[in-house]
Amino acid sequence: MSIRRLPEHLVNRIAAGEVVERPASALKEIIENALDAGSRRISVRISNGGLDRIEVSDDGCGMDSGEIALALERHATSKLPDDAIENVATLGFRGEALPSIASVARLSIDSRPAGQDGWNRTVDNGVVVHEGPAALPPGTRVTVEQLFGRVPARRKFLRSAKAEYAACLDVVRRLAMAHPSVAFSMEHDGRRVLGVQADEAREDRVAALTDRALAENHVIVALEREGVRLSGVASLPTYNRGVGDHQFLFVNGRPVRDRLLVGSVRGAYADMLARDRHPVVALFLDVPPLEVDVNVHPAKTEVRFRDPALIRGMIVSGLRRALDAEGFRAVQHADPAGLSAWKPEPVSPTPIGAMPIFEAAGAPSPAPSYSVADRRPSFFTPPPQARAEPAAAPAPEGNSFPLGVARGQVARTYIVAEAEDGLVIVDQHAAHERLTLERMRRAMEGQGVAAQALLLPEVVELDEPACDRLEARIGELSEFGLELERFGPAAMLVRATPAMLGQGDVQGLVSDLADDLAAYDSALSLKERLDLVAATMACHGSVRAGRILSVAEMNALLREMEITPRSGQCNHGRPTWVKLGHGDIEKLFGRK
């Protein structure tokens, strides 16, 4: 077969296959053009998930008739004033989007520059079908109808209208998040599904587009290094989700999906979240154009950094610093489901005058009975386990400390403290687990973790692969004060344990370490493995649920939590303390 030059319409269809994969791809390109045109307000309307119709209106600079015609030619763009493509500073710059879309759909462009007349040009699958004056306010309106309508081979591979709508909504959400100075609105089948105002604070825009609760459960990220600036919003570790669909990353205002960036976020939260939980983050990187290649992917959703180690380090450091600065802070809103479980007893219909208190003195009166009702299904509950210890000295005032002062212990698991603004309940095991981990880290940064030799070495029996994994990490484990030796094919001999763990369950500790190494060892770096070992040891060395604490021990735990970074959550991302504010308590008693 001889080589031939492909016709223009076929070239456009091939280009459309690279740039326009689905309605969301076309929508992204059109909105980026509107942003590059200096728009302050962008309105999006789609029908049937964008399969039938996409309409984007903006108030940007607009185009005259000659520019509209030129914009529909391949590789014609206003985004590159010269040939220095490495200095591109706009979102779109290839000049492929509009002609590619016009080759596989009916594309109509109405545009009007300020002070001039409007103009329309309509192209139906590569053929100009209409051109003439148009009436519209200054700006541009782009309409796409029947995408891939005449390309059944592509149309049949599109997903359902609901799936395509979800993809379109995600595109608008990401672009709106990246440009808080621009107002966005979106309608689907005539129903308004998104609306944000112009000139919002970045954290407010992110919360509006993800979850309103993020506004009260986030930290501000800000870091600058070697000409690269990192900013954004990140959730507290205790405010997390089961899937990673709420992690938004932007490079020079461009939404991107990059494994390096996603991995950096995971690394920053490594010891603060369980592996099946994910933080909510929106991070914005401003990188000099020469330090990043945005031309890697036709859809410009992937980028390549000149110095990826610098970027990863900045993200991890920026997130860590922001989270460390919050100290013991955690999500502190009372759970509505928990509050609704409290149900007041029905008011007795007995008239006030007939109450026993008004009966004659000396008259026998039945002993009053009290009970607590629970909306949950009834089940056998053991007697309440709570204790309060008389203080040897006058108890300090709760307003002197953020976490208050201890007033008692419930179920040998939870410390109840009184603070200036409410009631604080602390999970003693989760809190001490975090404190132990931070102590081990500080020791590792210094002279290492002190070891406590066992009077009689203890033999731990495991299967042979588990012993092999532990034997391979004997050097790393010894840095944490855990001294192991191989003791035959299926056993390990424990000669010393970390001194700060005290008298713990040696068998359980070694067994759990073997399980963790089996699950994560090959996928983790050395530092991540050390963090994993430290977290496992901290869990075994912390105060267990069921241990009775004195008031002095409770207060000591509270004071240490107040000065320890990240003490608001345990090593698995669960909160270590919650607060029931005065307002919540008043609601329970019907006072508010």
Side-chain angles (χ1 to χ4, degrees):
M1 181 180 294
S2 60
I3 299 175
R4 71 185 183 98
R5 187 181 297 276
L6 297 178
E8 185 69 18
H9 73 278
L10 188 55
V11 170
N12 285 336
R13 286 195 174 186
I14 293 173
E18 296 179 349
V19 179
V20 185
E21 300 176 357
R22 58 196 305 189
S25 305
L27 179 60
K28 171 182 176 292
E29 299 289 347
I30 297 171
I31 295 178
E32 286 181 348
N33 285 340
L35 291 168
D36 286 338
S39 303
R40 293 277 297 166
R41 183 173 298 276
I42 297 176
S43 174
V44 179
R45 295 182 178 87
I46 64 174
S47 299
N48 195 31
L51 298 171
D52 293 345
R53 180 183 175 89
I54 298 172
E55 180 184 303
V56 179
S57 303
D58 65 64
D59 59 353
C61 61
M63 299 177 286
D64 57 29
S65 58
E67 290 178 325
I68 293 177
L70 193 59
L72 289 169
E73 295 184 10
R74 291 200 69 210
H75 302 304
T77 180
S78 63
K79 315 297 179 64
L80 290 173
D82 51 39
D83 296 339
I85 192 172
E86 65 275 5
N87 289 325
V88 64
T90 55
L91 297 176
F93 56 90
R94 288 172 172 262
E96 290 179 294
L98 292 179
S100 297
I101 296 171
S103 68
V104 292
R106 181 182 178 90
L107 175 69
S108 178
I109 300 179
D110 300 86
S111 191
R112 175 192 163 197
Q116 300 184 33
D117 295 331
W119 194 259
N120 165 268
R121 188 180 180 92
T122 302
V123 181
D124 191 356
N125 287 271
V127 179
V128 179
V129 296
H130 179 268
E131 187 171 13
L136 74 161
T140 302
R141 180 173 62 243
V142 179
T143 306
V144 180
E145 297 176 296
Q146 295 301 317
L147 185 66
F148 299 124
R150 297 185 188 176
V151 190
R154 295 293 304 277
R155 180 87 175 191
K156 70 179 182 180
F157 283 101
L158 294 178
R159 301 178 65 184
S160 66
K162 287 185 177 180
E164 298 299 342
Y165 157 66
C168 289
L169 180 61
D170 183 65
V171 164
V172 177
R173 181 184 288 120
R174 290 175 182 272
L175 289 169
M177 203 176 295
H179 300 273
S181 62
V182 181
F184 282 81
S185 65
M186 181 177 180
E187 294 181 6
H188 180 231
D189 291 335
R191 180 174 60 91
R192 187 181 179 93
V193 295
L194 182 146
V196 288
Q197 300 301 314
D199 298 321
E200 288 184 308
R202 177 167 284 173
E203 56 269 26
D204 294 335
R205 173 65 64 92
V206 172
L209 295 171
T210 54
D211 191 334
R212 295 288 181 181
L214 182 64
E216 298 177 353
N217 297 292
H218 73 271
V219 296
I220 300 296
V221 181
L223 183 64
E224 188 166 355
R225 183 184 298 168
E226 298 182 22
V228 180
R229 185 168 67 254
L230 172 69
S231 60
V233 179
S235 68
L236 295 170
T238 45
Y239 184 83
N240 52 60
R241 298 175 64 88
V243 292
D245 62 343
H246 275 49
Q247 295 181 6
F248 304 95
L249 306 165
F250 307 86
V251 177
N252 294 345
R254 186 189 311 277
V256 299
R257 302 177 187 272
D258 189 276
R259 291 184 179 180
L260 167 70
L261 301 180
V262 173
S264 301
V265 172
R266 168 56 66 184
Y269 281 85
D271 64 328
M272 292 177 273
L273 280 179
R275 288 191 166 267
D276 60 344
R277 306 300 298 178
H278 303 270
V280 179
V281 298
L283 298 178
F284 303 82
L285 276 168
D286 294 315
V287 185
L290 294 178
E291 298 298 319
V292 58
D293 183 2
V294 298
N295 204 27
V296 176
H297 192 275
K300 305 180 293 296
T301 57
E302 299 177 8
V303 297
R304 181 178 295 134
F305 297 101
R306 184 183 296 273
D307 188 356
L310 170 66
I311 303 301
R312 174 182 170 85
M314 284 192 64
I315 294 176
V316 174
S317 297
L319 287 171
R320 287 278 184 172
R321 290 182 185 183
L323 294 171
D324 288 351
E326 295 300 318
F328 58 88
R329 184 181 168 203
V331 176
Q332 293 307 318
H333 283 291
D335 182 11
L339 289 178
S340 65
W342 294 80
K343 181 180 178 181
E345 280 293 284
V347 178
S348 172
T350 307
I352 293 179
M355 295 291 284
I357 193 172
F358 292 98
E359 294 178 1
S365 59
S369 63
Y370 302 97
S371 64
V372 176
D374 196 325
R375 289 184 180 176
R376 294 169 294 184
S378 59
F379 56 93
F380 174 75
T381 304
Q385 300 178 356
R387 52 178 289 277
E389 180 180 297
E397 292 296 328
N399 56 11
S400 304
F401 306 102
L403 292 181
V405 294
R407 299 303 187 193
Q409 188 181 29
V410 177
R412 299 183 179 183
T413 304
Y414 304 102
I415 299 171
V416 179
E418 180 185 1
E420 183 179 14
D421 53 349
L423 193 68
V424 175
I425 304 175
V426 178
D427 182 337
Q428 65 188 39
H429 172 67
H432 199 254
E433 183 179 349
R434 166 59 66 177
L435 299 180
T436 303
L437 174 60
E438 297 301 328
R439 288 196 209 109
M440 295 190 76
R441 280 186 171 160
R442 289 194 296 269
M444 286 296 298
E445 293 172 358
Q447 301 298 320
V449 179
Q452 174 67 51
L454 299 180
L455 184 61
L456 294 175
E458 189 163 342
V459 177
V460 180
E461 295 183 353
L462 301 165
D463 58 29
E464 191 168 351
C467 292
D468 292 340
R469 285 188 290 269
L470 288 171
E471 186 177 20
R473 303 296 174 197
I474 281 180
E476 295 175 15
L477 296 175
S478 65
E479 297 179 14
F480 288 93
L482 182 64
E483 297 180 5
L484 301 178
E485 289 182 13
R486 190 67 179 258
F487 195 72
M492 298 297 294
L493 186 68
V494 184
R495 292 195 175 275
T497 59
M500 64 176 61
L501 300 188
Q503 300 297 322
D505 178 9
V506 176
Q507 297 271 351
L509 171 62
V510 175
S511 177
D512 285 354
L513 283 173
D515 291 342
D516 288 341
L517 290 175
Y520 306 119
D521 189 33
S522 60
L524 299 180
S525 65
L526 174 60
K527 182 181 183 305
E528 290 171 330
R529 284 200 303 269
L530 294 178
D531 283 341
L532 179 68
V533 170
T536 304
M537 289 185 174
C539 184
H540 280 268
S542 57
V543 173
R544 312 302 295 183
R547 174 179 165 183
I548 297 177
L549 300 178
S550 67
V551 170
E553 289 174 324
M554 297 182 209
N555 281 318
L557 185 66
L558 296 176
R559 302 293 79 79
E560 188 174 358
M561 287 177 64
E562 292 168 351
I563 61 174
T564 301
R566 301 185 291 274
S567 62
Q569 61 279 328
C570 74
N571 308 341
H572 312 292
R574 295 187 295 269
T576 58
W577 62 282
V578 295
K579 179 177 291 183
L580 200 61
H582 288 154
D584 295 324
I585 298 174
E586 290 172 350
K587 287 179 183 178
L588 291 175
F589 288 95
R591 290 178 174 269
K592 191 174 182 180

